[in-house]
PDB file of all heavy atoms in Angstrom:
ATOM      1  N   ILE A  42     -22.808 -40.982  48.378  1.00 91.00           N
ATOM      2  CA  ILE A  42     -22.258 -39.560  48.632  1.00 91.00           C
ATOM      3  C   ILE A  42     -22.323 -39.316  50.091  1.00 91.00           C
ATOM      4  O   ILE A  42     -23.385 -39.158  50.649  1.00 91.00           O
ATOM      5  CB  ILE A  42     -22.999 -38.512  47.803  1.00 91.00           C
ATOM      6  CG1 ILE A  42     -22.888 -38.849  46.293  1.00 91.00           C
ATOM      7  CG2 ILE A  42     -22.465 -37.126  48.115  1.00 91.00           C
ATOM      8  CD1 ILE A  42     -23.745 -37.976  45.428  1.00 91.00           C
ATOM      9  N   LYS A  43     -21.214 -39.138  50.700  1.00 89.00           N
ATOM     10  CA  LYS A  43     -21.139 -38.879  52.168  1.00 89.00           C
ATOM     11  C   LYS A  43     -20.455 -37.573  52.397  1.00 89.00           C
ATOM     12  O   LYS A  43     -19.750 -37.050  51.552  1.00 89.00           O
ATOM     13  CB  LYS A  43     -20.426 -40.073  52.880  1.00 89.00           C
ATOM     14  CG  LYS A  43     -21.124 -41.366  52.717  1.00 89.00           C
ATOM     15  CD  LYS A  43     -20.492 -42.424  53.494  1.00 89.00           C
ATOM     16  CE  LYS A  43     -21.225 -43.707  53.281  1.00 89.00           C
ATOM     17  NZ  LYS A  43     -20.638 -44.862  53.930  1.00 89.00           N
ATOM     18  N   TRP A  44     -20.556 -37.104  53.621  1.00 86.00           N
ATOM     19  CA  TRP A  44     -19.983 -35.807  53.953  1.00 86.00           C
ATOM     20  C   TRP A  44     -18.532 -35.693  53.809  1.00 86.00           C
ATOM     21  O   TRP A  44     -18.312 -35.374  53.192  1.00 86.00           O
ATOM     22  CB  TRP A  44     -20.397 -35.393  55.363  1.00 86.00           C
ATOM     23  CG  TRP A  44     -20.023 -34.005  55.557  1.00 86.00           C
ATOM     24  CD1 TRP A  44     -20.612 -32.915  55.208  1.00 86.00           C
ATOM     25  CD2 TRP A  44     -18.925 -33.556  56.325  1.00 86.00           C
ATOM     26  NE1 TRP A  44     -20.022 -31.787  55.650  1.00 86.00           N
ATOM     27  CE2 TRP A  44     -18.926 -32.218  56.327  1.00 86.00           C
ATOM     28  CE3 TRP A  44     -17.874 -34.155  56.961  1.00 86.00           C
ATOM     29  CZ2 TRP A  44     -17.990 -31.520  56.926  1.00 86.00           C
ATOM     30  CZ3 TRP A  44     -16.911 -33.479  57.600  1.00 86.00           C
ATOM     31  CH2 TRP A  44     -16.985 -32.136  57.594  1.00 86.00           C
ATOM     32  N   PRO A  45     -17.568 -35.375  53.550  1.00 89.00           N
ATOM     33  CA  PRO A  45     -17.171 -34.100  53.068  1.00 89.00           C
ATOM     34  C   PRO A  45     -17.405 -33.897  51.579  1.00 89.00           C
ATOM     35  O   PRO A  45     -17.304 -32.865  51.048  1.00 89.00           O
ATOM     36  CB  PRO A  45     -15.697 -34.060  53.387  1.00 89.00           C
ATOM     37  CG  PRO A  45     -15.229 -35.402  53.564  1.00 89.00           C
ATOM     38  CD  PRO A  45     -16.480 -36.205  53.903  1.00 89.00           C
ATOM     39  N   ASN A  46     -17.624 -35.041  50.861  1.00 86.00           N
ATOM     40  CA  ASN A  46     -17.970 -34.890  49.436  1.00 86.00           C
ATOM     41  C   ASN A  46     -19.503 -34.557  49.307  1.00 86.00           C
ATOM     42  O   ASN A  46     -20.296 -35.275  49.725  1.00 86.00           O
ATOM     43  CB  ASN A  46     -17.793 -36.284  48.718  1.00 86.00           C
ATOM     44  CG  ASN A  46     -16.337 -36.784  48.870  1.00 86.00           C
ATOM     45  OD1 ASN A  46     -15.421 -35.994  48.866  1.00 86.00           O
ATOM     46  ND2 ASN A  46     -16.178 -38.080  48.959  1.00 86.00           N
ATOM     47  N   THR A  47     -19.623 -33.321  48.836  1.00 89.00           N
ATOM     48  CA  THR A  47     -20.987 -32.843  48.760  1.00 89.00           C
ATOM     49  C   THR A  47     -21.395 -32.634  47.332  1.00 89.00           C
ATOM     50  O   THR A  47     -20.624 -32.545  46.428  1.00 89.00           O
ATOM     51  CB  THR A  47     -21.129 -31.503  49.512  1.00 89.00           C
ATOM     52  OG1 THR A  47     -20.270 -30.578  48.967  1.00 89.00           O
ATOM     53  CG2 THR A  47     -20.851 -31.685  51.048  1.00 89.00           C
ATOM     54  N   ILE A  48     -22.742 -32.478  47.137  1.00 91.00           N
ATOM     55  CA  ILE A  48     -23.289 -32.297  45.877  1.00 91.00           C
ATOM     56  C   ILE A  48     -24.533 -31.379  46.116  1.00 91.00           C
ATOM     57  O   ILE A  48     -25.248 -31.588  47.087  1.00 91.00           O
ATOM     58  CB  ILE A  48     -23.677 -33.589  45.191  1.00 91.00           C
ATOM     59  CG1 ILE A  48     -24.182 -33.423  43.760  1.00 91.00           C
ATOM     60  CG2 ILE A  48     -24.631 -34.388  46.018  1.00 91.00           C
ATOM     61  CD1 ILE A  48     -24.351 -34.715  43.015  1.00 91.00           C
ATOM     62  N   THR A  49     -24.813 -30.478  45.206  1.00 93.00           N
ATOM     63  CA  THR A  49     -26.001 -29.693  45.332  1.00 93.00           C
ATOM     64  C   THR A  49     -27.285 -30.438  45.091  1.00 93.00           C
ATOM     65  O   THR A  49     -27.200 -31.516  44.391  1.00 93.00           O
ATOM     66  CB  THR A  49     -25.961 -28.483  44.414  1.00 93.00           C
ATOM     67  OG1 THR A  49     -25.980 -28.931  43.112  1.00 93.00           O
ATOM     68  CG2 THR A  49     -24.690 -27.592  44.613  1.00 93.00           C
ATOM     69  N   ASN A  50     -28.384 -29.981  45.600  1.00 94.00           N
ATOM     70  CA  ASN A  50     -29.631 -30.610  45.351  1.00 94.00           C
ATOM     71  C   ASN A  50     -29.942 -30.659  43.898  1.00 94.00           C
ATOM     72  O   ASN A  50     -30.421 -31.734  43.354  1.00 94.00           O
ATOM     73  CB  ASN A  50     -30.755 -29.976  46.112  1.00 94.00           C
ATOM     74  CG  ASN A  50     -30.522 -30.086  47.607  1.00 94.00           C
ATOM     75  OD1 ASN A  50     -29.843 -30.928  48.131  1.00 94.00           O
ATOM     76  ND2 ASN A  50     -31.153 -29.153  48.360  1.00 94.00           N
ATOM     77  N   GLU A  51     -29.720 -29.631  43.158  1.00 94.00           N
ATOM     78  CA  GLU A  51     -30.004 -29.520  41.740  1.00 94.00           C
ATOM     79  C   GLU A  51     -29.178 -30.576  40.948  1.00 94.00           C
ATOM     80  O   GLU A  51     -29.700 -31.317  40.099  1.00 94.00           O
ATOM     81  CB  GLU A  51     -29.800 -28.131  41.184  1.00 94.00           C
ATOM     82  CG  GLU A  51     -30.797 -27.083  41.678  1.00 94.00           C
ATOM     83  CD  GLU A  51     -30.469 -26.658  43.074  1.00 94.00           C
ATOM     84  OE1 GLU A  51     -29.302 -26.787  43.526  1.00 94.00           O
ATOM     85  OE2 GLU A  51     -31.430 -26.109  43.698  1.00 94.00           O
TER      86      GLU A  51
END
Side-chain angles (χ1 to χ4, degrees):
I42 298 174
K43 296 182 180 176
W44 189 78
N46 302 326
T47 59
I48 185 172
T49 64
N50 295 337
E51 292 79 19

